[in-house]
Amino acid sequence: MADLLVRAAWGDEAFLARALTPGPGVARPRGIRIVADAHVIARKPGLAAIARAAGVPLLVDPQTYFLQDTQQATDPWVRLPFGSAGASRPTDFATESAIDDLVHRVVTAQAVGGATAIVPPYFHLGADESGWDDVQARVWRRTPGVMTAAGIGLPRLALVSVDWARLRDPSFLTSDQDLHRAMVAVDPAEVALASSRSHMGRTADARLFDLVTLIHRLAAMTPVIAWQQGVLGEACVAAGAAGYETGIGTRETYDVSRTLAGHRGTASAGPEQQRRQARPVFVPSLGRSVGKRSLEAISRIAPLWALLMCHDAACCRPGGASMLGDARYHAVTSRRRSLDQLTSVEQAHWRWGVLAEKAALATTLATRINRLATDSEDIKRVDPVPLDAITVVSEQLRKPTSRPQTA
């Protein structure tokens, strides 16, 4: 069974308390983990208590790639023990003491925040790599000793944040690379792979193929989590990932450039602003979330709504009203159920066949929605690019003789 890692946002505390602590006679959720940004845990310590009471693992994401760029001084991430408004350079981490200081502040904050596993500091490894590979390798090598000295005995999750273009290189993270040797040295219980912009572009199918190929290769050595890959998550699991991580209606894709630009250019939306925005709603037949206003408009078109609404009686009431009214519960339950269905298929190429058929249907539905969007201000377009990529890759890999190859 693959795990579903759910990223909690500012306003999710009450929802998680309800969803993770069901009433008497109701089984607790299985195969669920909670992920939260470090600045969210700092402001919402109750999230850790909820996860602990429910017996659900908790990961605290330090998002240390923000150190590579400037931040608004008012951004909550800046106020963390390891946060900074200024941009760092690789030379700022040239000494062991500088590396050890960063690692100590990052891992201690996670342990204090209630994490059940530690994410060492991680940097985004862009296409034009300029020294950050070396810094990442030294961070990984120094982390076990720093944690031992601090008395932190938690397992480690090595997070690899990488630009999609670097996955074109078949030698990336192979055993003869120093970066790979350093990743092994951190002795991770799991590796999390965060591939930026693999869901987009004119070559999205090639990008996805590179991503699933790397997952297939790494999974032969250690469990792999597809990080912030809600849109491509099931494709990653079909390739061998032990699970995928996603937000609840939001943050279903990973785009480091866009995230950094948002933090650099304007102050991040605070919790009050975020609560005023309607949460997108997960649509099982599309494999992604759609704006609530769009779905409300579509719900008045009975033939199309019948294909989009949730038909799982254990998740939503008939008619789809609770899908719109309790969108967060629906998103977590529906994603968990879909993962169960996928992983119940034993043969790998059969799983790709299931995904190919789902993606083909999703593409047809997206086309219908996009036609309606041309004449309606309420209905917004659904990006078909990830769906097309999943279709192409799945059709190729559903053949028993066509598999991602290990290096």
Side-chain angles (χ1 to χ4, degrees), residues 91-281:
T91 52
D92 294 327
F93 303 101
T95 65
E96 288 185 353
S97 60
I99 293 286
D100 289 357
D101 178 62
L102 174 64
V103 172
H104 183 269
R105 284 182 286 150
V106 170
V107 302
T108 300
Q110 293 177 59
V112 170
T116 56
I118 296 296
V119 180
Y122 65 97
F123 301 96
H124 184 62
L125 310 180
D128 300 321
E129 202 283 313
S130 57
W132 290 109
D133 275 25
D134 179 62
V135 175
Q136 184 65 76
R138 289 188 291 119
V139 162
W140 279 337
R141 286 194 169 96
R142 301 294 298 177
T143 294
V146 172
M147 288 181 60
T148 298
I152 301 173
L154 295 170
R156 290 178 285 271
L157 181 146
L159 205 159
V160 184
S161 176
V162 62
D163 189 82
W164 69 270
R166 293 200 67 186
L167 303 187
R168 300 259 72 186
D169 180 1
S171 68
F172 180 71
L173 274 185
T174 51
S175 58
D176 58 342
Q177 273 198 337
D178 184 63
L179 189 65
H180 182 273
R181 291 192 292 268
M183 186 177 72
V184 172
V186 82
D187 191 22
E190 293 175 311
V191 170
L193 182 59
S195 177
S196 180
R197 300 167 72 90
S198 281
H199 63 288
M200 59 193 302
R202 289 179 297 176
T203 60
D205 56 331
R207 297 184 187 192
L208 177 57
F209 190 84
D210 292 337
L211 173 60
V212 300
T213 297
L214 180 57
I215 288 173
H216 181 79
R217 172 157 55 83
L218 292 177
M221 298 176 281
T222 187
V224 177
I225 299 297
W227 198 256
Q228 207 162 310
Q229 297 292 336
V231 170
L232 303 178
E234 291 193 359
C236 294
V237 169
Y244 72 89
E245 182 264 317
T246 183
I248 308 174
T250 62
R251 294 173 70 169
E252 295 178 331
T253 57
Y254 192 60
D255 186 343
V256 168
S257 297
R258 182 176 180 181
T259 301
L260 290 177
H263 278 244
R264 183 193 321 126
T266 58
S268 299
E272 293 78 13
Q273 292 171 291
Q274 291 183 10
R275 279 197 295 267
R276 285 199 295 266
Q277 298 173 357
R279 184 87 60 118
V281 180

Side-chain angles (χ1 to χ4, degrees), residues 2 9 16 98 111 113 135 174 249 325 330 352 359:
L16 289 172
V135 175
T174 51
H330 156 74
W352 287 115

Side-chain angles (χ1 to χ4, degrees), residues 27-67:
R28 289 185 174 183
R30 57 190 180 81
I32 297 286
R33 295 189 237 172
I34 300 302
V35 179
D37 298 342
H39 67 271
V40 172
I41 285 290
R43 295 276 296 273
K44 297 284 187 179
L47 284 171
I50 292 167
R52 188 165 52 250
V56 173
L58 172 69
L59 288 171
V60 177
D61 185 352
Q63 296 180 291
T64 38
Y65 64 89
F66 285 150
L67 290 168

